[in-house]
Amino acid sequence: MALRTWLHRQLPHIWLSRGVVAWLLRPMAWLYEIALLVRTWLYQAGLKSRHRLPVRVIVVGNVVAGGAGKTPVTMALVQHLQKKGHTVGVISRGHGRLSRDTREVLPSDRPETDGDEPLLIRQKTGVPVWVGSSRVAAGQALLAAHTQVNTLVCDDGLQHWALARDIEVCVMDERGVGNGWLLPAGPLREKWPRTVDLLLHTGTSNLSGGFQAKRQLGDKAHDAQGRTIALSSLKISPVDAVAGLARPEAFFNMLRATGLELAHASALPDHDDFATWPTPPNQRPLLCTEKDAAKLWQRQPTAWAVPLVLTPEPAFWHALDALLAKTTPHS
């Protein structure tokens, strides 16, 4: 646990430059690159197959390790597609879940069964959500159970090459591609640049091209009982915050940007289950992300979950609609 916490905190900083530690990790990155080349060749040679599902498939992902806002982008996409008349389903691997089967996510499920992000998507959008280590199997199961679905959104599947897709949306935050090296010497899951249909920036980076999205916190937070509170009303005294994210500091900085004073901020590894996190002994309000809420509420039902609102610029939606107009369900 100590090593995991150290890596969680230090690797994002190591990946920003080509320092001593990054150079020491380069041999491992070369091995990773060889594995990528072999995997790519297997698909190109037809020794590994790409499976085409009989509906439109939109994949949302990124090329760097760690969160860049993929799940908020997925939820924004679902809502936009619904407004345009599409019947939408979502598939995901379900990172952090204890189960290994292919299953439907239900609103009353627990995050350890489905994964925190798929459960959040299901609760916030109301569309069918299925999880599985194979996105193809998850998509097939979803379509068999919900025959009316004509568009699938795959949350975090850019490198899941077994699933054929019509549109790829790559999400980048302010880190860009970091030092530009592959894992573990750098943050890249695959080499960049690479061709994608849409590039969406959720922060300011030095990468050119693509579209911009505004990322901000909602005005109100809510607890396990559904009660709400305005964030502005919490400015009168210090609060505590906790986040089990790839980059928890981003959440803490957004809270501070609203004018809140954080007495204590607990940064936990991504998808942390809060099992070993000591509940604060004081009576200060405790703020968390919506992603963490379902897990935290099992121990701290009075914690306030703060929603993240992501708003892509209108040009992104126009470009997406133009791409959708060129696609049709497959037989």
Side-chain angles (χ1 to χ4, degrees), residues 31-197:
L31 293 176
Y32 180 79
E33 182 175 4
I34 292 171
L36 277 179
L37 291 172
V38 170
R39 186 165 175 249
T40 301
W41 178 82
L42 289 173
Y43 277 98
Q44 291 176 342
L47 299 176
K48 279 184 171 288
S49 300
R50 303 192 81 184
H51 299 273
R52 172 72 67 181
L53 297 175
V55 296
R56 300 176 186 87
V57 174
I58 304 172
V59 169
V60 179
N62 61 359
V63 295
V64 298
K70 297 183 296 294
T71 298
V73 170
T74 295
M75 292 191 290
L77 276 172
V78 169
Q79 293 164 353
H80 176 81
L81 291 166
Q82 287 177 312
K83 291 178 183 177
K84 293 294 182 177
H86 298 271
T87 306
V88 189
V90 175
I91 54 177
S92 173
R93 179 180 179 181
H95 290 285
R97 66 188 179 114
L98 300 179
S99 61
R100 291 293 177 265
D101 58 341
T102 299
R103 62 168 56 227
E104 183 167 16
V105 178
L106 302 176
S108 58
D109 283 351
R110 298 168 71 93
E112 56 265 32
T113 302
D114 306 322
D116 44 25
E117 291 161 339
L119 182 58
L120 176 62
I121 294 170
R122 178 65 178 84
Q123 292 174 340
K124 294 284 285 187
T125 67
V127 303
V129 179
W130 281 69
V131 294
S133 56
S134 166
R135 312 303 199 283
V136 174
Q140 291 170 335
L142 187 153
L143 294 174
H146 303 275
T147 56
Q148 75 280 14
V149 168
N150 59 24
T151 303
L152 281 179
V153 179
C154 180
D155 180 35
D156 191 14
L158 209 58
Q159 289 79 37
H160 194 78
W161 298 334
L163 176 66
R165 68 285 310 264
D166 298 286
I167 299 173
E168 287 187 331
V169 180
C170 182
V171 184
M172 290 277 195
D173 59 19
E174 61 274 8
R175 296 170 297 166
V177 295
N179 61 17
W181 284 346
L182 292 170
L183 291 167
L188 288 177
R189 298 176 176 180
E190 57 179 308
K191 285 194 170 183
W192 185 267
R194 63 132 40 224
T195 301
V196 295
D197 296 294

